[in-house]
Amino acid sequence: MDHLMKRLMIVLLLIFTIAAGVFSQEEVSPVEIDGDRVEFDVKERKVIATGNVVITRGDVRLTADKIEFYRDTEIAEAQGNVVLERGGERVEGDNLVYNFKTGTGDFENPFFTAPPFYGQGKSVEKIGENHFRIKDGFITTSDWDNPESRVDIRTIDVYPDDVAVGRNMVFRLGNVPVFFWPRYTEDLKDRSSVVRLTPGYKSEWGLFLLSRWRFDRRSEDFKTFVYVDYRERLGLGLGLDNEYNTRVVGEGLIRTYYTHERDIGDFHFWESHGPVEERERYKAEWRHRWQIDERTMAISQYYKLSDSEFLKDYFEREYDREQNPNSYALITHAMPHGTLSGRADYRVNRFMSTVERLPEISYNLPNFEIFDSNIYWENKTTYSNLQRKNAGQADTAAQTTRVDFNNEFSYPMKIGFVEARPFVGGRHTYYSRTRDSQEQDVARGVFRTGADLSTKFYRIFDVHTDAWGLDINQLRHVITPSIAYLYQHEPTVTRDRLDQYDSVDALTRLHRATLSLQNNLQTKRGEVSVNLVRAIVSTDFAFTEDAVLPSSYNNVKFDLEITPYDWLGYYFDLRYNPQTKTLETLNFDLYINDTSDLWYVRLSDRYHFEVNQTFETEVGWKINPKWTAAVNLTYDLDAGEKREHGLVLRRDLHSWLMDMQFRDERYGGQEIMISFSLKGFDDVEIGVSQSFQRGAARRAGEVY
């Protein structure tokens, strides 16, 4: 229950902040006093108010039967039915001494309301500048008058943003004491959970229970997490993570995971009768970051995997982010003009294809004005020692030493109403070896030139209307046409003579222009300019000399965004190929959100000519104050069947939130989870699936 105690300590700090009246005022505003009877004592310079007294400053509101307010010190002494409020936070008590200048005070018999937290105490007092004490009370996340669970406290000393020390603390279910802590100290600077349990069912794993346990909770520089997981079909998995900060040579993260996988080949262990396939599977990851000085940064990553499918099978979210993580070291140094960097990429996992850079050193100079000529120079010079290694092969498939000089000169100008940026550049590259092993010490040259042109036209229409709640205060139509022209000559050494390591080696003749037309329809709401409609159409026109694109128009793209209200949005985009007369992609999204956050609807369509067309929908709604739900469905229009559907139900259990989740994929199997999270601290989780990534689980919170 240490994780619960950690949460409660943090809650108590929050409650004290409310109870002690630590309501900092960003701007000093006058104190306003009102009551049935208001008198002023000239000698003591105080205001005495009785009967329905209300004192306000900014968003702080203090009410009582009687209040004495001292104008010089701005201290208020309140008696009888005292209520201190700010926003949704509320503290009630018998008596209060409150300082409006410092925002601190002492309550007697306070009752706290700061949803989702509630509590009561005998007193809250300020001991020192950074020391507060709460005596004889309780704290709970239940909104019942008689909470089903709570923690009783004798005393707790709070040192804001540092630690909290509690004494004689009892956790109760109803009136039954369950746990007792004579003394408990908690670090208030870290709010991560101490234990996390994740039970559930997944087709590939069977029944599973994943657990994470945290140690070294009071250390600012080291955090250790231990993972103990059991998967019915695969067996036991163990992991150890460590987050560290050396404070001298940087900070980093070490992650390890190991399993002696025993695939029973059946859905449940009691159904297994055949031989069990066994193999060792693991990962080892180390990431480090060192800010050497204000100008110099070093970053490194080492990533070792047992096989190419390990992340996909055990850490699906990591796999979705990066399927083939690389191992590298990088150091950068900011110079008065430009950046100098050194990099080393090396292959750790033999099953991966990798281009090793041992090393690569580059200097990057961004647009730099030559004297005051309005001529700008951009340069990138790179030295690379390259080796390409193919998956499964130990030998080097290709290698070379490459030195690349890339220069460009531009002259921004305005011709009438047109913004123009003509440029000319050249790229010269040295290769120690080419694809022909007999051809060595080759120099390649590439010349390019072009210009970027754009302008802007607009007109304001004097339209004012609030029809259908649109809140239109004039309409501004902005048209922005632009042309980007590029000519790149055929390299002196063609790409078919070079081994391909990256885009530098793939340069070829280009002769094209990108044409774009953007339309914006805007209005003013208050002092803010709002886009109601944004539409962009663009295309690439390739001339005959272009070696990549067919001549004439290519890749017509259209994007449309309509947002007439904060709660309604429509997005549409497509890509059309005039050469093949093919609609390659088409997507639309419609978002509708209830203004009172009781429900939302998402509709979308995805089409790709080489894949398929799918329709997705998602609906979330708040059934009643205790129940909310969200469902999503993905339908394959080409196959005429469901691809995936999911359901999330959330139940408010007063102190806790319970989520019941279900997902069914056509090719990925089924998942069922039940999860619990403490109100206000959703990182205290029991049962949140690591593989439930779809919208129903992620977006359902919008209606909670």
Side-chain angles (χ1 to χ4, degrees), residues 143-202:
D143 54 7
W144 280 10
D145 293 336
N146 296 312
E148 68 277 15
S149 64
R150 70 183 194 183
V151 171
D152 292 342
I153 57 172
R154 179 62 57 87
T155 62
I156 181 168
D157 290 281
V158 180
Y159 302 86
D161 298 323
D162 190 7
V163 297
V165 181
R167 296 172 177 84
N168 299 324
M169 306 180 71
V170 180
F171 175 69
R172 296 180 182 272
L173 291 175
N175 293 320
V176 179
V178 179
F179 294 101
F180 171 75
W181 294 269
R183 178 185 173 89
Y184 187 86
T185 302
E186 186 56 61
D187 181 4
L188 297 175
K189 296 183 288 295
D190 189 351
R191 300 193 177 194
S192 60
S193 58
V194 176
V195 61
R196 179 174 296 174
L197 302 176
T198 308
Y201 171 83
K202 188 176 180 180

Side-chain angles (χ1 to χ4, degrees), residues 669-687:
Q670 298 177 336
E671 290 184 66
I672 301 174
M673 287 76 63
I674 298 179
S675 60
F676 296 88
S677 59
L678 185 67
K679 276 186 178 179
F681 296 96
D682 290 343
D683 64 319
V684 183
E685 298 169 347
I686 306 174

Side-chain angles (χ1 to χ4, degrees), residues 387-440:
Q387 297 183 29
R388 190 181 72 230
K389 293 184 176 180
N390 296 329
Q393 297 180 3
D395 297 334
T396 300
Q399 63 181 13
T400 191
T401 297
R402 186 181 72 192
V403 183
D404 182 58
F405 302 93
N406 188 10
N407 294 278
E408 182 175 289
F409 296 89
S410 61
Y411 187 80
M413 64 178 71
K414 190 168 184 178
I415 305 173
F417 56 86
V418 177
E419 300 283 348
R421 192 187 72 92
F423 63 87
V424 61
R427 193 162 199 160
H428 299 83
T429 311
Y430 163 81
Y431 293 89
S432 65
R433 296 179 59 179
T434 65
R435 183 167 293 178
D436 183 354
S437 59
Q438 303 301 317
E439 189 177 24
Q440 299 182 1

Side-chain angles (χ1 to χ4, degrees), residues 121-341:
K122 183 177 180 180
S123 66
V124 179
E125 58 182 323
K126 182 177 181 180
I127 305 299
E129 183 177 355
N130 293 302
H131 182 191
F132 308 102
R133 179 172 293 162
I134 305 173
K135 292 183 178 180
D136 297 328
F138 71 86
I139 186 70
T140 181
T141 55
S142 175
D143 54 7
W144 280 10
D145 293 336
N146 296 312
E148 68 277 15
S149 64
R150 70 183 194 183
V151 171
D152 292 342
I153 57 172
R154 179 62 57 87
T155 62
I156 181 168
D157 290 281
V158 180
Y159 302 86
D161 298 323
D162 190 7
V163 297
V165 181
R167 296 172 177 84
N168 299 324
M169 306 180 71
V170 180
F171 175 69
R172 296 180 182 272
L173 291 175
N175 293 320
V176 179
V178 179
F179 294 101
F180 171 75
W181 294 269
R183 178 185 173 89
Y184 187 86
T185 302
E186 186 56 61
D187 181 4
L188 297 175
K189 296 183 288 295
D190 189 351
R191 300 193 177 194
S192 60
S193 58
V194 176
V195 61
R196 179 174 296 174
L197 302 176
T198 308
Y201 171 83
K202 188 176 180 180
S203 297
E204 296 92 333
W205 297 351
L207 299 172
F208 64 83
L209 175 62
L210 313 179
S211 67
R212 188 192 76 172
W213 308 81
R214 180 181 168 189
F215 298 90
D216 302 322
R217 291 180 296 107
R218 297 178 182 87
S219 173
E220 296 182 13
D221 299 327
F222 295 93
K223 301 175 185 178
T224 302
F225 300 90
V226 175
Y227 297 83
V228 181
D229 303 333
Y230 177 76
R231 299 170 178 86
E232 181 186 17
R233 298 186 60 187
L234 302 176
L236 185 67
L238 302 173
L240 179 66
D241 292 358
N242 183 264
E243 301 175 12
Y244 64 88
N245 187 346
T246 67
R247 295 184 180 268
V248 178
V249 292
E251 58 188 355
L253 169 67
I254 298 174
R255 289 178 177 172
T256 61
Y257 196 85
Y258 172 84
T259 177
H260 187 89
E261 186 179 277
R262 303 180 72 254
D263 191 345
I264 63 176
D266 292 280
F267 285 103
H268 302 290
F269 65 88
W270 60 82
E271 299 174 349
S272 178
H273 302 290
V276 176
E277 180 181 346
E278 299 187 27
R279 57 174 173 166
E280 292 184 312
R281 306 185 73 184
Y282 58 86
K283 77 166 182 173
E285 175 187 359
W286 176 40
R287 299 182 182 182
H288 188 79
R289 177 180 178 273
W290 180 18
Q291 185 73 50
I292 300 173
D293 55 43
E294 292 183 356
R295 294 176 174 268
T296 310
M297 167 77 74
I299 301 173
S300 64
Q301 174 175 291
Y302 174 86
Y303 216 119
K304 177 66 175 177
L305 296 170
S306 60
D307 56 84
S308 60
E309 299 296 317
F310 180 79
L311 287 181
K312 183 179 180 181
D313 293 343
Y314 284 87
F315 298 92
E316 190 174 353
R317 289 186 179 180
E318 289 187 37
Y319 179 79
D320 289 341
R321 288 194 300 267
E322 189 174 9
Q323 297 182 11
N324 296 309
N326 295 322
S327 297
Y328 64 88
L330 171 67
I331 184 169
T332 61
H333 177 71
M335 305 176 69
H337 300 291
T339 303
L340 180 67
S341 64

